[in-house]
């Protein structure tokens, strides 16, 4: 440190201490020096508990510790519910008790996570009210400047002094419960953020896996294209003559084995990855087709997943003049008249997956097989 420098305190000029002098100074001396350097006058600095170990102090300490403990326990409860609570949908007509337990999933994870956040906040506020010294200080304005070694050491001393005066060092109960509460809350936040990535997309191969949708064939059964009439019991299949040129219709999968199965009929209409846009282009349209999917269409009829590849909104607006599918959420546009539903505008970067379709011997549209890639935003293995 350069010698000969001075600093002002009131009307007096005092020399800056050298590095050797700083090394010999106690923390209290550095605290006083730091306040002088910052032109701070401590009008009042009163300890909340001048008499240590009283019943009132212990009672306040237990109250703070209780809130931090509640924060930790709530965070652990959130993690337990998030991971282990039954989350799969249960039909209330088939299993009322199972449906009731399933319906508690979202309220419980919201309640315990919210309670953990609330308890941490109350614990911190209560600690500051009960234990941090009451301080009244006056500081003069001055121009900022780069930190010197004196500034760094006095700032460190001020922080350490604040920590000691707050009493946190000798309050082991509060330290342990605060660590427990903050640690469990941090762990719960991490579980919340990473929870959606825990499921291995390759772990399942059936109809419920991430690789498949409700259009997957099972036991070789034919999967028809069905419109939603508003009545889940009304099975209305789609024929080519039902669509005029430059028109479209939203369709869902249907199997004859499900005709009298009320739950299966309703599930096919509500499953999030089932909606498909069946589009009839204008006669003579010849969109560029993706490699390996050249025969997925049936003449002028093309079927694409309705789930936007950006964030999963329904890409349900068709502009016949331009031959584009539009997603109303974030304005992504997919060109179906000239290409394979390739994104041409907006935040979406991947094409809509195409469903391979054909017409059976009775003249109804059927799905030849499931999509060959995950629909919607999908996951990182997607290569389109």
């Amino acid at each position: 440190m350069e010698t000969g420098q001075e600093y002002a305190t009131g009307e007096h000029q005092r020399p800056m201490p050298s590095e050797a002098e700083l090394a010999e100074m106690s923390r209290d001396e550095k605290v006083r020096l730091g306040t002088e350097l910052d032109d701070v006058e401590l009008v009042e600095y009163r300890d909340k508990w001048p008499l240590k170990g009283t019943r009132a102090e212990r009672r306040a300490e237990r109250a703070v510790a209780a809130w931090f403990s509640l924060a930790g326990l709530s965070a652990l409860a959130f993690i337990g519910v998030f991971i282990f609570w039954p989350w799969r949908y249960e039909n209330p007509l088939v299993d009322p008790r199972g449906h009731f337990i399933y319906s508690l999933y979202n309220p419980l994870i919201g309640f315990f996570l919210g309670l953990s956040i609330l308890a941490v906040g109350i614990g911190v506020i209560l600690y500051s009210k009960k234990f941090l010294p009451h301080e009244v200080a006056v500081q003069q304005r001055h121009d900022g400047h780069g930190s010197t070694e004196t500034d760094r050491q006095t700032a460190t001393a001020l922080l350490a002094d604040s920590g000691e005066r707050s009493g946190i060092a000798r309050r082991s109960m509060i330290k342990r419960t605060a660590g427990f509460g903050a640690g469990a809350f941090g762990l719960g936040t991490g579980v919340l953020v990473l929870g959606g990535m825990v499921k291995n997309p390759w772990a399942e191969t059936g109809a419920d896996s991430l690789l498949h949708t409700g259009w997957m064939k099972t036991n070789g059964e034919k999967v028809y294209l069905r419109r939603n009439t508003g009545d889940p019991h009304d099975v209305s299949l789609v024929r080519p003559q039902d669509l005029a040129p430059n028109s479209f219709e939203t369709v869902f999968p249907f199997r004859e084995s499900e005709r009298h199965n009320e739950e299966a009929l309703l599930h096919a209409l509500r499953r999030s990855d089932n909606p498909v846009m069946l589009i009839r282009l204008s006669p003579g349209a010849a969109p560029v087709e993706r490699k390996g999917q050249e025969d997925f269409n049936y003449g002028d009829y093309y079927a694409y997943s309705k789930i936007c590849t950006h964030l999963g909104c329904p890409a349900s607006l068709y502009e016949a003049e331009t031959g584009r599918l539009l997603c109303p959420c974030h304005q992504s546009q997919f060109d179906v008249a000239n290409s394979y539903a390739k994104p041409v505008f907006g935040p979406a970067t991947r094409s809509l997956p195409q469903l391979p379709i054909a017409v059976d011997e009775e003249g109804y549209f059927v799905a030849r097989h499931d999509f060959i890639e995950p629909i919607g935003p999908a996951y990182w293995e997607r290569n389109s």
Side-chain angles (χ1 to χ4, degrees):
M1 172 175 291
E2 297 181 4
T3 58
Q5 295 180 345
E6 296 182 338
Y7 65 96
T9 58
E11 300 178 352
H12 304 284
Q13 296 286 331
R14 297 187 183 182
M16 279 282 196
S18 65
E19 291 188 4
E21 291 173 331
L22 278 173
E24 295 178 356
M25 292 174 67
S26 66
R27 190 180 67 197
D28 288 341
E29 291 173 329
K30 290 179 181 178
V31 169
R32 287 193 294 271
L33 175 61
T35 57
E36 291 176 0
L37 289 174
D38 290 335
D39 285 339
V40 174
E41 178 187 357
L42 289 179
V43 179
E44 183 180 2
Y45 200 72
R46 175 168 48 84
D47 193 338
K48 291 289 184 66
W49 304 99
L51 184 60
K52 309 301 180 185
T54 63
R55 290 184 178 180
E57 182 186 13
R58 291 196 297 269
R59 192 161 52 246
E61 186 175 356
R62 287 194 295 269
V64 174
W67 282 108
F68 285 140
S69 298
L70 179 61
L73 293 173
S74 299
L76 292 179
F78 161 77
I79 295 172
V81 172
F82 188 88
I83 297 176
F84 300 111
W85 195 270
W87 55 270
R88 292 185 181 275
Y89 175 78
E90 296 288 345
N91 191 330
L93 301 178
V94 177
D95 186 2
R97 182 175 180 275
H99 177 78
F100 174 73
I101 294 175
Y102 149 79
S103 65
L104 293 177
Y105 180 75
N106 281 342
L108 284 177
I109 61 175
F111 172 76
F112 284 121
L113 182 61
L115 182 60
S116 180
I117 297 172
L118 179 66
V120 167
I122 292 178
V124 171
I125 293 172
L126 192 62
Y127 182 82
S128 66
K129 286 182 173 292
K130 295 291 185 181
F131 297 104
L132 294 185
H134 177 71
E135 177 183 306
V136 177
V138 178
Q139 182 176 16
Q140 302 299 322
R141 286 181 175 271
H142 56 80
D143 295 333
H145 55 80
S147 298
T148 64
E149 182 62 26
T150 302
D151 294 327
R152 288 191 287 270
Q153 290 202 28
T154 54
T156 302
L158 284 166
L159 290 173
D161 183 67
S162 299
E164 181 174 335
R165 287 178 181 273
S166 71
I168 191 66
R170 63 185 181 85
R171 304 185 194 282
S172 57
M173 179 188 297
I174 292 181
K175 285 194 296 184
R176 288 194 297 266
T177 53
F180 169 63
F185 173 70
L187 180 62
T189 304
V191 169
L192 178 64
V193 173
L194 300 176
M197 305 181 187
V198 171
K199 185 176 181 180
N200 180 4
W202 306 104
E204 299 178 6
T205 57
D208 291 332
S209 73
L210 293 178
L211 288 172
H212 295 289
T213 69
W215 296 95
M216 177 184 177
K217 279 190 174 183
T218 54
N219 302 321
E221 186 176 7
K222 193 180 297 184
V223 182
Y224 293 93
L225 276 62
R226 168 200 178 190
R227 59 175 58 90
N228 184 4
T229 63
D231 180 2
H233 304 94
D234 180 22
V235 177
S236 178
L237 304 182
V238 184
R239 298 174 181 265
Q241 56 267 35
D242 295 340
L243 275 73
N246 277 327
S247 65
F248 71 94
E249 188 161 6
T250 303
V251 293
F252 303 85
F254 168 74
R255 299 168 178 80
E256 277 295 339
S257 61
E258 299 173 351
R259 183 175 289 273
H260 303 293
N261 187 332
E262 181 179 356
E263 182 177 1
L265 291 174
L266 188 61
H267 180 66
L269 297 176
R270 292 186 175 179
R271 178 166 168 165
S272 60
D273 56 6
N274 278 353
V276 162
M277 291 284 285
L278 177 63
I279 303 171
R280 184 180 181 183
L281 300 179
S282 59
V288 176
E289 295 169 329
R290 292 180 63 183
K291 184 179 180 181
Q293 301 183 23
E294 295 86 354
D295 60 347
F296 276 22
N297 60 299
Y298 177 79
D300 297 332
Y301 299 86
Y302 291 78
Y304 293 101
S305 169
K306 193 175 181 177
I307 311 305
C308 181
T309 55
H310 174 224
L311 287 178
C313 297
S316 55
L317 303 178
Y318 180 62
E319 192 176 61
E321 184 177 348
T322 60
R324 293 184 180 183
L325 271 174
L326 286 75
C327 176
C329 292
H330 305 100
Q331 313 309 312
S332 293
Q333 298 181 19
F334 304 88
D335 187 359
V336 297
N338 303 298
S339 68
Y340 42 86
K342 183 179 180 180
V344 293
F345 182 82
T349 59
R350 298 187 297 272
S351 302
L352 294 174
Q354 186 174 358
L355 181 71
I357 58 174
V359 173
D360 70 354
E361 61 280 359
E362 297 179 347
Y364 294 111
F365 276 116
V366 294
R368 293 168 51 197
H369 53 76
D370 199 0
F371 296 98
I372 62 174
E373 59 185 330
I375 61 96
Y379 45 88
W380 51 90
E381 280 83 355
R382 181 170 180 154
N383 57 11
S384 61

